[in-house]
Amino acid sequence: MRSLVLGGVLVGLVVLAALLSFAWTPFDPVKVDATHRLLGFTGAHWFGTDKFGRDLLSQLMVGARTTLYVGVVAVGIAAVIGTPLGVLAGMSPRWLGEFVMRVNDLVLAFPALLLAIMFGAVFGADTLTAMVAIGIATIPSFARIARSGTLQVMSTEFVLAARAGGRSRSNIALRHVLPNISGLLIVQASVSFAIAVLAEAALSFLGFGTRPPTPSWGRMLQESQELLTVQPRLALVPGIAIAVAVLGFNLLGDGLRDRLDPRLAARA
């Protein structure tokens, strides 16, 4: 319960910052102001400014929006494609299920960052390319979870009764399988979101993610490298933001797992 609450609070802070940035930011996050370069913590600039005179808090707020956007689309792609594949593998004859999972393992062999870099080299590095690549790389995780859950559900008495009654596979999948594995998929989504946040930050840091001047936590880290020894604040601010987001989604996943898994809930 504590993990669920703490994770919800941390994720809520990130979501609140992103939503607030649509209506208000302390300053224009992309406006260059040479007269306010490298300011420290002040009353006007709570987190200071960067080497271009841009307000770090404003960049952080808009960067949260970019991070959540990438995470939602990437996890959505993975869930929409990976879940049906996993259910199909779990409900199909053994040979077909094994074939689907071996193809799934081939995709799993490509790390998300490597796949995104390959996509960036072919299609051009931008936010869209990054989130599509992250989504494709995350498909195997959803497929494996969905197949594992489907195999368990298919061996239950109510599914065996439904099959004996002549119910079609699609009917069984929609009425029995998906509702019973939804908890597993929700937990996987929260964990995958944390991975997507890290992947987007890493890609932007390497120059294969969000393009300037759109604020991004990863690019804020990249731009701070040349001043790291004299202005560590420039790296600490986005670094802490990334850590808070990742920790929040991981704790949220742990809390949801404890709540949605009947065995863990009974033990608690």
Side-chain angles (χ1 to χ4, degrees), residues 109-123:
F110 287 90
L113 291 181
L114 178 59
L115 192 63
I117 291 173
M118 292 171 56
F119 273 42
V122 175
F123 302 107

Side-chain angles (χ1 to χ4, degrees), residues 55-77:
D55 181 62
L56 287 184
L57 177 58
S58 301
Q59 285 199 316
L60 207 64
M61 293 172 65
V62 179
R65 190 168 69 196
T66 303
T67 296
L68 292 178
Y69 176 54
V70 171
V72 167
V73 175
V75 173
I77 291 173

Side-chain angles (χ1 to χ4, degrees), residues 82-152:
T83 301
L85 283 177
V87 173
L88 173 65
M91 297 184 66
S92 299
R94 184 179 179 85
W95 66 269
L96 181 57
E98 290 295 329
F99 174 77
V100 172
M101 295 313 295
R102 296 297 77 76
V103 174
N104 186 73
D105 290 342
L106 287 176
V107 179
L108 190 62
F110 287 90
L113 291 181
L114 178 59
L115 192 63
I117 291 173
M118 292 171 56
F119 273 42
V122 175
F123 302 107
D126 58 13
T127 306
L128 177 62
T129 304
M131 60 190 179
V132 170
I134 296 170
I136 292 175
T138 312
I139 288 174
S141 300
F142 277 88
R144 292 169 73 93
I145 290 293
R147 179 176 183 263
S148 176
T150 300
L151 290 174
Q152 293 181 13

Side-chain angles (χ1 to χ4, degrees), residues 246-265:
V246 172
L247 178 62
F249 282 108
N250 279 326
L251 289 175
L252 189 62
D254 289 342
L256 289 173
R257 181 197 60 199
D258 295 343
R259 296 283 291 182
L260 298 175
D261 190 323
R263 293 168 299 180
L264 293 176

Side-chain angles (χ1 to χ4, degrees), residues 189-234:
S190 64
V191 175
S192 297
F193 214 110
I195 296 173
V197 169
L198 279 176
E200 189 280 329
L203 288 171
S204 296
F205 181 85
L206 295 172
F208 289 93
T210 305
R211 291 180 176 178
T214 304
S216 166
W217 292 350
R219 207 178 65 257
M220 290 173 69
L221 280 175
Q222 191 274 332
E223 292 173 350
S224 70
Q225 295 307 295
E226 61 186 61
L227 298 171
L228 192 59
T229 56
V230 294
Q231 291 282 351
R233 163 185 56 86
L234 299 178

